[in-house]
Amino acid sequence: MGAHISIPMYQRAVSQKYRMLAQKCLHCGKVNFPPKAVCKYCLTGSKFEHIQLSGRGKIYSHTIIAGGGAPPEFAAEASCKGSYPVVLVELEEGPKVIAQLVNPLDREISVGMPVTAVFRKIYEEEGVIRYGFKFMPAPVS
Amino acid sequence: MEGVAIIGAGQTTYGDFPNKGIKELFAEAYFEMVQSVDYGFEPQMLHSAYIGSLSTGSGFQLGQMAPLLMGHVGLPHVNAVRIENACASGGFAIYNAACAIASGKFDLVLAAGVEKMRDVSSNKGRYWLGVSGDTEYERLAGSTFAGIYALMAARYMHEYGLKREHLSMVAIKNHRHAVANPKAQFRKAITMEQALNGVPVAHPFNVWDCSPTSDGAAAVLLCRAGMAKNFTSKPVYLRGFGAASDYLAIHDRDSITSLAATSKASAEAYKQAGIGPRDIDFAEVHDCFTIAEILAYGDLGFCEQGRAQYLLEEGITQLGGKLPVNASGGLKAKGHPIGATGCGMACEIFKQLRDEAKEDTRQIKNARLALSHNVGGSGGTAAVFIYERGGQ
């Protein structure tokens, strides 16, 4: 038994999950992601323009979900990998987002580590594979 | 605004009770509460009941749980309503009861909470424990509640130099406190070596950093302060009650090393009581994970933000210290039957402030003012209460 996110509900969030489409507040100019009806920064603006996030950011905090502690819909993944990292990332446009970290480096995950978003399989429900974004360590430039 | 007093309180032992459902658990806490009222109380005098629960018996009774439970104890016609704010459901039951009395609408109100967690498969348990956060984003990142609090812990370590051992000091202290508490689920002291080396859950947490799943119920009887002496010579006055909310998802919050809901709720409670954190003699705080107690110290004003580890190092928050925290054992060792937890904290404080924590090693002596703090999920909601010893 997993957290139930129906296909229609998931579909309504496709622009966030697939393309990281965010809202720029026309009142204060700050970027909201995931979307809000009222801007979470100025608590006033309710009109937005859509912008695409770069997917680039830095690790704000991190954890490693142990196999036995994974939510049931991620249990198969956890038993396969043993455990998996989850990170809270501060994106360069301002918002923070939470997602899994893939391809972690050999060294320890740390606050401030640069990462970039990648499109990945998230989990499967109602026979449909749900895709979305995860993060991976940013390539050294 | 009318003053509010507590004149009775009762709770089940927390733990694993295969032969009891929510009706039996609720009845046990309710009857202990009735027994605890010194004189003059008849159940038919109750005007209203607020009952906190997240899962309503693991989902067996989705709607109208409150009249089901009240009918079970012979009070089918009392206005009864279920209150849900995840792990703060019990605290919000008390908050609503206190507001109802303060408004002048009611004189005698029951606040209670119940949770049946041990009936479910571990898969189902992990399912419904994880869906009081932001399901669409936090949960689909593969995180659990432990994972969300682990993110807070890792950031606190980064910002303030908290060490892994400080987390364990919370677990060791609360387990030691629970040994003498007959209502506690785990009455067993643990060593630093054990606390550091449990089965991993979500780094940096192992199983000793996490509160257990528990069955249990608690019930508190509140009345208009002016009539408290009709029922007891030793009422406990509710001098302040505050509640607040925050963004449900941690990615929407400015800071994850502080729970804004706790800060705001405690500021409201302190202001109403006309006191500050330095006046508090002891507290029951929401330690669902070890980091949660550490965050609470700063958010409740027990120390400056980021300096909670020094309270632990100096033993200030252990029994015998200047400000004992979680003398009951806390959620960590007393147990955490979600909907009951906030009311169970009030039961502990009611006993302590009436010098009725009979086990000598547990009774906090000469205390006048106490505080309880109940958090919903990862801080989407919080309720804070300030109690004062009455009588004598």
Side-chain angles (χ1 to χ4, degrees):
Chain A
M1 186 171 195
H4 177 60
I5 307 277
S6 68
I7 292 168
M9 184 181 175
Y10 204 86
Q11 203 168 16
R12 284 192 289 272
V14 153
S15 57
Q16 286 87 49
K17 305 274 187 194
Y18 280 35
R19 296 187 289 279
M20 295 187 91
L21 210 60
Q23 312 161 302
K24 185 171 186 181
C25 175
L26 295 179
H27 183 78
C28 74
K30 292 199 168 156
V31 177
N32 288 260
F33 184 84
K36 294 266 189 289
V38 172
C39 172
K40 74 169 186 174
Y41 298 97
C42 65
L43 305 180
T44 304
S46 59
K47 293 195 165 59
F48 305 93
E49 64 170 316
H50 291 299
I51 64 158
Q52 173 127 27
L53 296 171
S54 66
R56 289 189 297 271
K58 288 180 174 168
I59 291 180
Y60 186 82
S61 194
H62 52 90
T63 183
I64 298 168
I65 305 293
E73 62 272 25
F74 293 91
E77 181 178 355
S79 70
C80 174
K81 294 179 178 170
S83 64
Y84 54 84
V86 170
V87 289
L88 184 61
V89 172
E90 189 166 28
L91 297 166
E92 29 175 64
E93 295 88 351
K96 291 199 266 293
V97 290
I98 180 170
Q100 286 186 37
L101 183 75
V102 297
N103 305 345
L105 305 169
D106 288 340
R107 62 194 161 88
E108 254 185 40
I109 303 165
S110 59
V111 173
M113 183 185 282
V115 290
T116 187
V118 285
F119 192 59
R120 285 286 190 279
K121 176 180 171 178
I122 304 294
Y123 78 116
E124 189 178 324
E125 190 184 353
E126 297 177 320
V128 175
I129 293 173
R130 313 295 176 91
Y131 290 101
F133 59 87
K134 296 183 179 179
F135 286 92
M136 61 181 271
V140 183
S141 53
Chain B
M1 190 161 81
E2 300 286 347
V4 181
I6 300 175
I7 51 170
Q11 67 158 98
T12 66
T13 302
Y14 290 170
D16 191 359
F17 302 108
N19 56 342
K20 291 174 195 167
I22 52 170
K23 288 189 278 191
E24 291 79 13
L25 291 164
F26 173 76
E28 192 177 321
Y30 169 80
F31 288 125
E32 188 179 290
M33 179 281 288
V34 172
Q35 284 293 313
S36 76
V37 184
D38 292 329
Y39 41 77
F41 174 66
E42 295 296 332
Q44 282 70 25
M45 295 160 79
L46 269 180
H47 291 138
S48 185
Y50 297 89
I51 306 176
S53 188
L54 169 62
S55 76
T56 61
S58 309
F60 105 88
Q61 183 72 35
L62 191 55
Q64 306 208 88
M65 180 205 75
L68 176 79
L69 297 181
M70 295 301 280
H72 190 62
V73 297
L75 295 168
H77 303 304
V78 172
N79 162 40
V81 60
R82 169 185 163 216
I83 300 286
E84 188 280 309
N85 260 342
C87 319
S89 299
F92 277 81
I94 299 178
Y95 187 80
N96 279 277
C99 287
I101 291 169
S103 76
K105 171 80 174 168
F106 299 129
D107 285 340
L108 258 178
V109 180
L110 175 71
V114 62
E115 209 70 58
K116 180 74 194 170
M117 299 174 74
R118 303 287 299 169
D119 258 2
V120 298
S121 68
S122 63
N123 249 10
K124 194 174 171 195
R126 282 188 286 165
Y127 152 61
W128 60 257
L129 280 181
V131 289
S132 295
D134 174 292
T135 306
E136 215 179 341
Y137 285 89
E138 291 177 346
R139 176 58 173 258
L140 292 191
S143 188
T144 52
F145 261 126
I148 298 302
Y149 272 99
L151 290 169
M152 298 185 199
R155 185 71 196 182
Y156 200 105
M157 288 168 147
H158 172 77
E159 286 184 19
Y160 300 118
L162 185 86
K163 301 278 185 270
R164 171 55 260 194
E165 286 77 5
H166 291 120
L167 298 172
S168 294
M169 287 165 84
V170 174
I172 293 165
K173 169 178 74 69
N174 293 351
H175 271 272
R176 195 192 309 127
H177 288 174
V179 171
N181 183 359
K183 301 287 192 184
Q185 184 167 2
F186 294 124
R187 303 179 61 184
K188 196 180 100 179
I190 57 169
T191 64
M192 179 59 87
E193 197 191 342
Q194 281 174 297
L196 287 174
N197 295 298
V199 176
V201 173
H203 185 81
F205 297 152
N206 65 52
V207 71
W208 294 110
D209 293 290
C210 309
S211 53
T213 55
S214 319
D215 297 338
V220 183
L221 183 60
L222 299 93
C223 76
R224 186 160 51 77
M227 61 192 286
K229 292 290 169 77
N230 298 347
F231 304 104
T232 177
S233 60
K234 297 194 296 179
V236 168
Y237 293 103
L238 204 53
R239 292 302 188 201
F241 36 100
S245 300
D246 196 0
Y247 289 113
L248 186 57
I250 63 160
H251 57 242
D252 277 331
R253 300 183 195 161
D254 285 342
S255 169
I256 62 166
T257 55
S258 163
L259 300 187
T262 298
S263 302
K264 188 162 181 283
S266 66
E268 181 187 338
Y270 285 132
K271 187 176 171 206
Q272 185 187 356
I275 63 158
R278 282 171 188 277
D279 301 310
I280 299 296
D281 295 311
F282 70 97
E284 288 285 310
V285 312
H286 197 92
D287 59 327
C288 51
F289 297 94
T290 47
I291 189 66
E293 180 165 327
I294 288 169
L295 299 182
Y297 291 174
D299 294 335
L300 295 169
F302 295 165
C303 65
E304 282 175 46
Q305 289 291 3
R307 296 185 63 81
Q309 55 269 47
Y310 304 108
L311 294 190
L312 290 163
E313 285 176 8
E314 290 162 24
I316 286 167
T317 55
Q318 63 190 18
L319 266 173
K322 202 164 152 266
L323 173 58
V325 172
N326 288 332
S328 67
L331 282 60
K332 179 69 206 75
K334 180 188 177 187
H336 182 25
I338 310 231
T341 291
C343 292
M345 291 170 166
C347 291
E348 168 73 9
I349 289 174
F350 182 74
K351 263 192 183 174
Q352 289 279 3
L353 287 179
R354 286 161 53 106
D355 296 322
E356 289 171 353
K358 294 187 187 76
E359 311 74 23
D360 269 356
T361 51
R362 250 168 59 67
Q363 179 64 51
I364 298 165
K365 296 185 178 67
N366 306 317
R368 189 172 72 87
L369 288 162
L371 176 150
S372 73
H373 161 244
N374 192 197
V375 175
S378 63
T381 51
V384 173
F385 303 93
I386 292 164
Y387 310 75
E388 184 178 16
R389 171 195 293 256
Q392 288 104 40

